[in-house]
Amino acid sequence: MNSLPTLPILPVRRRLVLHVPGYEPLPAAAQQRRLARTLARSAACWGLSASTGEGRASADGAVLTFAARLSGPDWATEAEIRVLAWDDLIARDFAVPLPHRILGGLAALAALLRDGTIARYRAAHWRYLLFVALPVTMLAGAMLGGLGVALALGGWVGALFGSALALALIVLADRRAHLGHLCADWIFARDLARGARPEVTARIARFAGEIAAARRRRDVDEVVLVGHSLGMVLLAEALAQMPDGGRPGPRLVLVGLGSSLLKIALMPGATRLRAAVGRVAALPGLAWIEFTSRRDLVSFHRADPVATLGLPGTGPRMERVHPRAMLDAPGWRRVRASMLRAHRCYVTGNGRRYFFDWGLIACGPGAVGRDPTPDRLLGADGRIAALPLEAAA
């Protein structure tokens, strides 16, 4: 009996990764440490060796570059990872006093209700409404708790203790459930859609310059652009500014992790972003993959942004991630108990071998979005498996 012919996999030896984090005030150096831990977890899962280098910040602080390497018995892939940072802009939002953030967040949500955006969210993915309602639910719970105490005690004593309880519950919601973070996020989202943040527009242009420089590189096999959460919005607008023509560059891949593209693009004022998504969808040769999870309430699970927006062009390949399958038992318990942990699980590392692994997107031997996924490409000992042509297709 003849054996099936095998497909030779030529390992990617050098990769350039541009990573745009989501909306959290985590400095670029802290993002580097997180991603280095993620690579170490990938190595532990797959029986590989991992190493990372020191970070080098650009003069303006907008880019932090560090080297990373994963290797198996018969392959080694080096990556130059560039964190495209915008935490300084986010930190300004978090410096606003909590009461102002809460009032601004409620005003932004009220505006989205009036202009029909929340109805469009429901049509795109109804579970996203749970995330929309979360800050309102926390505030309503605090107010009702305070009112209950006020009515039970009565008089000025009841009013005093009821008000104190309501304030305490709001502070607790901020510390334990990130109420202020959520409210700042909605203020920022509405401002971004309306183009009311010139400093963000300038940072997007800076990122566009990084992408253009990456496309001119000749010392890497592929360039992978990774956007997590709201970072995907900035990345899409930056990629849309890439000039047409010129010499063909390295293979280009766009990876969305828990993307918030539709959060902004479904707002009436987001004409610039919708145009950017349309241009990205029309880019020749681009491999675009979106990873979403049903557990992640902060993303639009399985919603193709191009199709949802009614735009021409080719939308991303949609991939479903199940955190329970990629995490060990302690990791799954942490993710299950926290909405934000579930939203970050794409970038915080695997506890088990799985088809999705950020570390192997950054430093794996397979061409992202073209070669088989790591669970099919790597054998039990970390070697590149000999795959039949039918299995590798």
Side-chain angles (χ1 to χ4, degrees):
M1 182 176 178
N2 294 330
S3 60
L4 290 172
T6 58
L7 176 71
I9 297 293
L10 298 177
V12 172
R13 300 191 181 280
R14 284 190 57 79
R15 181 180 287 117
L16 175 60
V17 179
L18 306 185
H19 180 90
V20 185
Y23 187 81
E24 55 180 338
L26 196 64
Q31 293 283 355
Q32 178 195 347
R33 290 192 293 271
R34 171 190 280 174
L35 298 179
R37 290 193 299 268
T38 299
L39 284 165
R41 288 169 183 154
S42 297
C45 277
W46 298 89
L48 309 174
S49 297
S51 63
T52 55
E54 295 292 325
R56 305 184 312 277
S58 61
D60 61 0
V63 181
L64 185 144
T65 305
F66 67 100
R69 186 178 189 270
L70 281 180
S71 61
D74 58 348
W75 62 272
T77 300
E78 296 179 352
E80 179 182 317
I81 300 177
R82 296 192 163 212
V83 178
L84 306 189
W86 57 298
D87 58 284
D88 55 320
L89 308 182
I90 302 168
R92 299 178 192 178
D93 296 348
F94 279 63
V96 174
L98 180 61
H100 293 178
R101 276 183 278 159
I102 290 174
L103 292 174
L106 291 177
L109 288 171
L112 297 180
L113 181 63
R114 288 194 303 270
D115 65 24
T117 299
I118 291 179
R120 289 187 285 275
Y121 288 164
R122 180 182 180 277
H125 180 52
W126 71 267
R127 286 171 63 87
Y128 194 73
L129 297 186
L130 299 176
F131 171 64
V132 174
L134 187 58
V136 177
T137 302
M138 286 190 281
L139 287 168
M143 295 301 177
L144 288 174
L147 179 61
V149 168
L151 293 176
L153 296 178
W156 67 267
V157 174
L160 180 63
F161 277 91
S163 299
L165 177 62
L167 289 173
L169 290 174
I170 289 172
V171 171
L172 182 64
D174 181 48
R175 291 181 178 176
R176 300 296 298 273
H178 311 284
L179 174 61
H181 186 159
L182 296 174
C183 290
D185 178 273
W186 283 111
I187 298 168
F188 175 84
R190 188 159 179 257
D191 286 350
L192 184 61
R194 296 185 300 176
R197 298 284 183 103
E199 69 277 12
V200 177
T201 302
R203 192 61 55 90
I204 289 171
R206 175 72 169 84
F207 294 170
E210 286 290 320
I211 295 173
R215 291 292 286 157
R216 293 193 294 269
R217 295 280 292 268
R218 294 294 179 268
D219 59 336
V220 296
D221 300 322
E222 67 179 7
V223 175
V224 179
L225 312 176
V226 182
H228 176 231
S229 190
L230 270 173
M232 187 61 175
V233 176
L234 278 65
L235 185 55
E237 290 202 17
L239 178 58
Q241 297 178 26
M242 188 172 67
D244 296 324
R247 285 193 307 170
R251 181 172 180 269
L252 185 64
V253 187
L254 177 63
V255 178
L257 307 177
S259 168
S260 290
L261 273 177
L262 288 175
K263 174 179 184 171
I264 310 299
L266 288 171
M267 297 181 186
T271 55
R272 186 178 68 186
L273 177 59
R274 287 191 291 273
V277 174
R279 181 163 187 195
V280 169
L283 284 175
L286 175 70
W288 182 3
I289 313 167
E290 291 276 345
F291 293 95
T292 66
S293 168
R294 187 173 182 272
R295 172 66 60 172
D296 177 15
L297 298 180
V298 187
S299 68
F300 290 80
H301 180 47
R302 299 178 64 184
D304 179 334
V306 175
T308 300
L309 295 172
L311 298 171
T314 304
R317 190 176 85 203
M318 304 299 297
E319 296 284 0
R320 291 177 287 176
V321 173
H322 299 287
R324 189 169 189 173
M326 65 183 278
L327 300 173
D328 55 21
W332 167 243
R333 283 195 296 269
R334 289 192 294 270
V335 162
R336 186 173 56 181
S338 168
M339 177 193 67
L340 288 182
R341 285 183 184 273
H343 188 49
R344 293 173 184 151
C345 73
Y346 310 96
V347 295
T348 51
N350 287 32
R352 297 175 179 171
R353 296 185 175 205
Y354 192 51
F355 85 96
F356 169 81
D357 189 306
W358 187 94
L360 288 170
I361 287 175
C363 290
V368 179
R370 187 190 69 192
D371 290 341
T373 52
D375 58 325
R376 299 167 61 207
L377 181 60
L378 296 182
D381 60 354
R383 294 178 183 273
I384 296 177
L387 294 171
L389 283 170
E390 292 179 1

